[in-house]
Amino acid sequence: YQRAAIMLDDNPHEPGLKTQQTVAFVVNSLFCISTMAFPLVLVIPPTYNVWMHSIPFLQMALFQWAAVACNYWEAREYVKKHEALFFAGLTLAVLSFVSLAVADFRHYDVLVAEKLAGNWTAADYDAYESEQMTEAFSSRPLEPLLPWWFMQTVDIVWLLFQGNVRKFLPDSPCIAMDIHLLTEEEVEGLVTGEVELGGEPKREA
């Protein structure tokens, strides 16, 4: 359900249709790249670099939201009130989850926090580079940016919205394909241009 909506070509002259198709193509492409980058979460441990470990996860949350947003954009004329309310809640949950996570990671990034505070000495830098950070900074631990229960609540709310996206997506347009065998006359008409696909006589411009 995460892929962006398919924009139909029934009326190629409809205002804004080309923009919708372009946005859907870009979002689908970025979501594919995002999905391929996600396994880096399992490859790069947070002890190596918290940003390199977490960014593949956070960016996927954003591109999932973008793909869902494209589906709502395509069906904007048919979105029901409860679906619109769900999408508003999903948007708030995603933005809260990502922004608070980035703020929390930055807070716990000792290198950034201590450097900005101007508290580091040359010995502190040496200790950090030699992976003795725990011993060097155990005397001044950082307090949590936000209470743990608040961050856990944000995580749970985001997961609940993610798990229910499929139930609240607006109805997609039906995609049907009519397949039938052509007679020799129909094939000849298609070759000569006298008959259009579907067996209808070609209409004069």
Side-chain angles (χ1 to χ4, degrees):
Y1 61 82
Q2 272 96 6
R3 69 153 178 82
I6 298 174
M7 304 303 177
L8 302 180
D9 268 326
D10 288 344
N11 185 3
H13 303 294
E14 180 182 341
L17 181 60
K18 187 63 177 177
T19 301
Q20 286 182 312
Q21 292 174 329
T22 301
V23 171
F25 174 78
V26 171
V27 169
N28 276 326
S29 301
L30 291 176
F31 182 70
C32 289
I33 297 173
S34 169
T35 304
M36 290 187 289
F38 178 74
L40 290 174
V41 173
L42 308 175
V43 176
I44 304 174
T47 51
Y48 176 76
N49 187 298
V50 68
W51 295 105
M52 294 176 66
H53 168 78
S54 303
I55 285 177
F57 180 81
L58 297 177
Q59 57 85 24
M60 189 172 184
L62 291 173
F63 286 120
Q64 281 180 329
W65 173 88
V68 172
C70 278
N71 285 276
Y72 276 86
W73 185 14
E74 180 192 39
R76 59 189 177 278
E77 298 179 2
Y78 311 102
V79 174
K80 301 179 180 65
K81 184 177 180 180
H82 70 279
E83 294 170 342
L85 290 174
F86 176 85
F87 181 69
L90 173 68
T91 301
L92 180 61
V94 170
L95 292 178
S96 300
F97 172 73
V98 173
S99 59
L100 291 177
V102 170
D104 223 17
F105 294 153
R106 180 190 176 282
H107 177 73
Y108 278 111
D109 190 330
V110 179
L111 177 61
V112 174
E114 291 293 323
K115 184 177 180 180
L116 291 177
N119 296 330
W120 276 35
T121 65
D124 291 331
Y125 281 105
D126 292 340
Y128 185 90
E129 292 176 356
S130 62
E131 298 183 2
Q132 298 173 3
M133 186 170 59
T134 302
E135 180 180 350
F137 301 111
S138 59
S139 60
R140 50 176 186 269
L142 294 173
E143 294 296 325
L145 179 65
L146 295 168
W148 67 267
W149 54 266
F150 180 80
M151 292 300 299
Q152 188 176 53
T153 301
V154 172
D155 289 350
I156 293 174
V157 169
W158 174 73
L159 287 172
L160 288 175
F161 271 101
Q162 284 294 110
N164 287 280
V165 165
R166 184 65 188 89
K167 296 179 181 179
F168 290 91
L169 277 180
D171 293 335
S172 300
C174 295
I175 300 176
M177 182 179 294
D178 182 19
I179 300 176
H180 65 277
L181 297 176
L182 299 178
T183 64
E184 292 184 5
E185 290 78 10
E186 288 175 324
V187 173
E188 184 177 350
L190 288 173
V191 172
T192 59
E194 297 175 357
V195 177
E196 294 181 337
L197 287 176
E200 296 293 333
K202 188 174 182 179
R203 288 168 288 187
E204 296 296 332

